[in-house]
């Protein structure tokens, strides 16, 4: 990699650390805080067997932004972004462009409050997206998620029985399935915190409920993580998902160093994503050609087809935006309570 790009990626990691500290020392006004974000008092069962969605259908429809190629030859893909990020910032210059060119219909989700709020609300947008795409294209759907967005398809698959029959591959990039000490520490070090950060902190009730069930049969599960990910540590532990193919970048390319935000544009991650999509089952590192490890410098270090001018212009904005948005986002003084359908699972023992 060219020296200026090594410096850029290091600076991106340093910016992440600095902006994380702002979460602790800069607080929103008291009006932006609450003790918890209340869920519905009761969720009835839907025809599909899972809890009925409480978010209005009009709002769910509006959140789904889709792109369909003239000739559809591949399964549809639902792109799910992470905390504090607009999906266009995360995907518009990468998978949003490349997948339709390969024949995949693609949708992105515009989460309310940039996914700062209760994950039990956010997951309803994922469920609606999967159901809509499966019905529209008469096909199973692949989900491709970045950061904490990857937790949502797993939650949906656990608690909505119709999901397993509608999903083909579940692929995540840098997702803290076990939670992170960073999220937990940020929330405990200040009077209030974003609901989604509480829920994705190590030991949260949300994540305990997530892991009470085994992964449903049917879909294939690929978890991709970076050993140098500055936000999701310890590497390979915080990201671990039992029953999935858990693949570190250094299993493919020894010594590969990639920071958290760049995982959604990295060329090795892209090769693993393509392997999972094109083959039955999860990605297999041994099928990725060794030549992908030889691509040094930009643009070789990022996935093919990326608009490098857009990348160079927007990278630091992309890194900084989740944190600057978070300073004014919704906050609560404790983790949101589990909704009854999840509380019941946690109470089973």
């Amino acid at each position: 990699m060219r020296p200026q790009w090594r410096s850029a990626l290091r600076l991106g990691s340093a910016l992440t650390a600095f902006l994380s500290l702002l979460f602790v020392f800069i607080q929103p006004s008291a009006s932006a805080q609450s003790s918890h974000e209340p869920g519905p008092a009761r969720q009835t069962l839907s025809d599909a067997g899972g809890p009925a969605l409480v978010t209005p259908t009009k709002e769910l429809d509006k959140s789904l932004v889709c792109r369909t190629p003239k000739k559809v030859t591949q399964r549809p893909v639902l792109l799910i972004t992470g905390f504090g990020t607009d999906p266009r910032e995360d995907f518009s210059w990468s998978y949003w462009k490349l997948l339709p060119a390969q024949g995949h219909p693609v949708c992105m989700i515009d989460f309310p409050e940039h996914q700062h709020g209760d994950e039990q609300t956010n997951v309803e947008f994922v469920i609606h997206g999967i159901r809509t795409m499966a019905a529209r294209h008469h096909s199973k759907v692949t989900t491709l998620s970045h950061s904490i967005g990857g937790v949502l398809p797993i939650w949906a698959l656990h608690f909505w029985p119709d999901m397993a029959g509608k999903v083909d591959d579940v692929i995540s990039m840098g997702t803290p399935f076990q939670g992170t000490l960073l999220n937990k520490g940020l929330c405990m070090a200040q009077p209030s915190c974003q609901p989604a950060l509480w829920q994705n902190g190590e030991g949260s009730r949300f994540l305990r409920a997530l892991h009470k069930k085994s992964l449903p049969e049917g879909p294939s599960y690929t978890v991709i993580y970076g050993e140098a990910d500055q936000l999701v540590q310890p590497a390979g532990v915080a990201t671990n998902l039992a029953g999935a193919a858990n693949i570190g970048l250094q299993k493919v390319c020894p010594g590969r160093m990639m920071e958290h935000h760049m995982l959604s544009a990295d060329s090795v991650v892209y090769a693993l994503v393509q392997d999972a999509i094109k083959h039955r089952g999860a990605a297999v590192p041994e099928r990725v050609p060794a030549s992908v490890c030889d691509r040094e410098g930009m643009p070789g270090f990022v996935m093919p087809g990326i608009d490098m001018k857009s990348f160079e212009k927007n990278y630091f904005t992309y890194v900084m935006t989740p944190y600057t948005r978070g300073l004014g986002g919704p906050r609560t003084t404790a983790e949101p309570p589990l909704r009854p359908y999840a509380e019941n699972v946690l109470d089973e023992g």
Side-chain angles (χ1 to χ4, degrees):
M1 192 191 304
R2 292 184 305 186
Q4 59 264 43
W5 282 107
R6 288 189 187 277
S7 298
L9 294 178
R10 287 171 183 160
L11 183 54
S13 295
L15 274 172
T16 300
F18 171 72
L19 291 166
S20 295
L21 288 175
L22 289 181
F23 265 39
V24 178
F25 294 112
I26 301 180
Q27 293 295 314
S29 64
S31 62
Q33 303 181 19
S34 62
S35 60
H36 63 80
E37 188 176 274
R42 182 181 179 186
Q43 276 184 277
T44 58
L45 289 181
S46 68
D47 292 339
L53 306 186
V54 298
T55 305
T57 302
K58 185 177 180 180
E59 187 176 340
L60 295 171
D61 286 337
K62 186 178 179 181
S63 74
L64 201 61
V65 183
C66 298
R67 188 177 194 178
T68 302
K70 291 182 179 179
K71 187 175 182 181
V72 175
T73 59
Q74 305 292 334
R75 291 193 189 277
V77 179
L78 179 61
L79 302 174
I80 305 171
T81 191
F83 176 83
T85 307
D86 184 294
R88 296 161 193 82
E89 296 162 354
D90 209 342
F91 294 118
S92 65
W93 44 283
S94 55
Y95 290 97
W96 178 252
K97 288 180 59 180
L98 292 181
L99 291 175
Q102 297 166 1
H104 295 275
V106 177
C107 290
M108 305 185 291
I109 299 173
D110 236 335
F111 287 104
E113 301 170 325
H114 296 97
Q115 208 188 337
H116 288 152
D118 190 339
E119 296 283 55
Q120 297 165 106
T121 296
N122 294 332
V123 75
E124 296 194 355
F125 292 83
V126 172
I127 293 163
H128 180 74
I130 291 170
R131 287 175 175 166
T132 299
M133 295 184 79
R136 181 180 297 167
H137 299 289
H138 308 286
S139 172
K140 290 186 176 182
V141 178
T142 289
T143 64
L144 176 58
S145 310
H146 186 207
S147 193
I148 68 172
V151 172
L152 298 176
I154 303 301
W155 187 271
L157 282 156
H158 278 330
F159 294 106
W160 279 264
D162 68 311
M163 288 290 99
K166 292 178 169 62
V167 175
D168 181 31
D169 278 291
V170 180
I171 307 169
S172 66
M173 305 174 286
T175 297
F177 290 106
Q178 303 297 328
T180 69
L181 287 171
L182 175 62
N183 287 350
K184 183 177 180 179
L186 285 173
C187 288
M188 293 185 69
Q190 51 188 323
S192 64
C193 198
Q194 289 75 10
L197 287 188
W198 282 115
Q199 291 167 314
N200 286 280
E202 186 184 60
S204 72
R205 288 178 61 78
F206 177 79
L207 291 178
R208 284 166 55 199
L210 180 79
H211 294 293
K212 286 290 288 185
K213 291 189 172 187
S214 301
L215 293 176
E217 293 184 4
S220 302
Y221 303 89
T222 299
V223 173
I224 304 168
Y225 65 90
E227 289 83 352
D229 188 324
Q230 75 276 24
L231 295 182
V232 182
Q233 289 289 338
V237 176
T239 56
N240 185 69
L241 181 63
N246 293 277
I247 305 170
L249 294 185
Q250 293 185 13
K251 291 181 182 177
V252 181
C253 300
R256 184 76 167 192
M257 305 291 284
M258 187 51 63
E259 62 93 26
H260 181 77
H261 302 87
M262 274 293 293
L263 290 173
S264 61
D266 179 74
S267 59
V268 178
V269 174
Y270 173 73
L272 289 166
V273 169
Q274 287 290 303
D275 185 78
I277 290 175
K278 291 179 179 179
H279 295 87
R280 261 191 169 182
V284 176
E286 290 74 19
R287 285 197 299 247
V288 174
S291 59
V292 76
C293 302
D294 300 329
R295 298 172 185 167
E296 282 291 316
M298 296 292 182
F301 207 77
V302 297
M303 54 195 283
I306 278 192
D307 180 347
M308 288 304 298
K309 288 185 179 179
S310 175
F311 173 82
E312 293 172 6
K313 180 180 178 181
N314 296 319
Y315 172 65
F316 290 113
T317 300
Y318 169 51
V319 171
M320 294 173 66
T321 299
Y323 301 93
T324 55
R325 280 197 184 114
L327 295 175
R331 291 183 177 231
T332 58
T333 56
E335 179 184 347
L338 289 175
R339 295 186 182 175
Y341 69 84
E343 186 72 53
N344 292 340
V345 169
L346 198 58
D347 288 344
E348 287 175 359

